[in-house]
Amino acid sequence: MSLESWLLYLSFVFIATATPGPAVFFIMTKSSLHGWKKASFSALGNICGLFILGLIAVTGLGAVLKASEPLFNLVKYAGAAYLIYLGLVQFFQRPHHRLESIDPLKSKGKTPEIPSKIFIQALGVAISNPKAIVFLTALFPQFILIDQALIPQFMRLVMTLMAFSFSFLMFYAFVAHTAKNWLAAPARRKWFSRASGSAFIGFGVLMAASSRQ
């Protein structure tokens, strides 16, 4: 890849990962409630999801998804339903009297479930958007040389995407972490849960109403 092509790819990746979306909002929510350390599992789940989306894109499944409107709609509505589900769970979450009590890792007799749940939920958020698959399906071929080995090129492209995504997500997590103490009051946490839940429901509705364009 020429220097000009590499810089162009970096600019696409920078814009795509820096722009707030469901993944950014998800990690900011978790960081505000549980701190940036546990929210880091959201970043890990997201970049694992990006790797899966990249594999789908380069194996040709992304092209199938792009060409098949019924399949695209199936994935789209499933992803929208998942985001709406996360929003409803967050919206109706009951506030606790102490901020620490929402952390099972600090609750006596309970197993550390929050990090794994955050990871799985973030993975679901990452792979739930079929438009991301279509985007990568259109993006990657523009920067892959067909006369060279595919795997090294793919790894370079997807690892760069994952590194940028992880960095920006952790930046947003650190920003949101500063609001953790402010959310110590149950009334504020109740308001925040309903606001973030409504946002996820809105993301789901927008995804359901979107087209492939």
Side-chain angles (χ1 to χ4, degrees):
M1 186 186 301
S2 66
L3 177 60
E4 292 79 6
S5 296
W6 180 243
L7 292 177
L8 180 61
Y9 177 75
L10 291 181
S11 66
F12 277 122
V13 170
F14 180 89
I15 295 173
T17 55
T19 303
V24 169
F25 203 84
F26 182 82
I27 196 171
M28 292 186 71
T29 299
K30 297 305 179 183
S31 183
S32 298
L33 296 176
H34 306 298
W36 70 267
K37 291 183 179 180
K38 292 186 180 68
S40 65
F41 286 88
S42 172
L44 293 174
N46 179 264
I47 63 175
C48 287
L50 290 179
F51 186 82
I52 294 174
L53 294 183
L55 284 177
I56 293 175
V58 298
T59 56
L61 295 178
V64 174
L65 184 65
K66 183 178 181 180
S68 174
E69 185 171 356
L71 180 59
F72 179 89
N73 288 334
L74 176 64
V75 177
K76 179 182 72 172
Y77 290 128
Y82 180 70
L83 291 179
I84 292 174
Y85 163 75
L86 290 180
L88 291 174
V89 170
Q90 186 70 26
F91 188 90
F92 292 107
Q93 178 175 278
R94 295 179 61 184
H96 300 262
H97 294 294
R98 296 178 60 197
L99 186 63
E100 292 81 6
S101 65
I102 65 175
D103 187 352
L105 295 178
K106 297 181 180 179
S107 299
K108 185 177 181 181
K110 292 187 178 181
T111 57
E113 295 179 346
I114 282 185
S116 61
K117 287 183 179 179
I118 291 176
F119 177 89
I120 293 173
Q121 289 176 345
L123 179 67
V125 171
I127 64 177
S128 64
N129 187 359
K131 296 184 74 173
I133 303 176
V134 173
F135 172 75
L136 293 181
T137 302
L139 179 66
F140 279 0
Q142 309 302 319
F143 300 96
I144 291 179
L145 302 176
I146 59 175
D147 59 341
Q148 297 184 15
L150 174 61
I151 294 179
Q153 295 183 80
F154 165 72
M155 293 302 297
R156 181 167 60 249
L157 293 175
V158 75
M159 293 300 290
T160 300
L161 176 64
M162 292 167 65
F164 270 75
S165 178
F166 185 85
S167 299
F168 277 111
L169 286 176
M170 291 308 301
F171 167 76
Y172 284 113
F174 282 123
V175 171
H177 181 80
T178 60
K180 183 179 178 181
N181 291 333
W182 185 82
L183 290 171
R188 291 173 179 170
R189 288 205 306 280
K190 181 178 180 180
W191 172 86
F192 182 78
S193 293
R194 291 186 174 181
S196 59
S198 299
F200 271 102
I201 293 172
F203 281 130
V205 172
L206 288 175
M207 180 182 292
S210 67
S211 65
R212 289 187 293 174
Q213 303 301 322

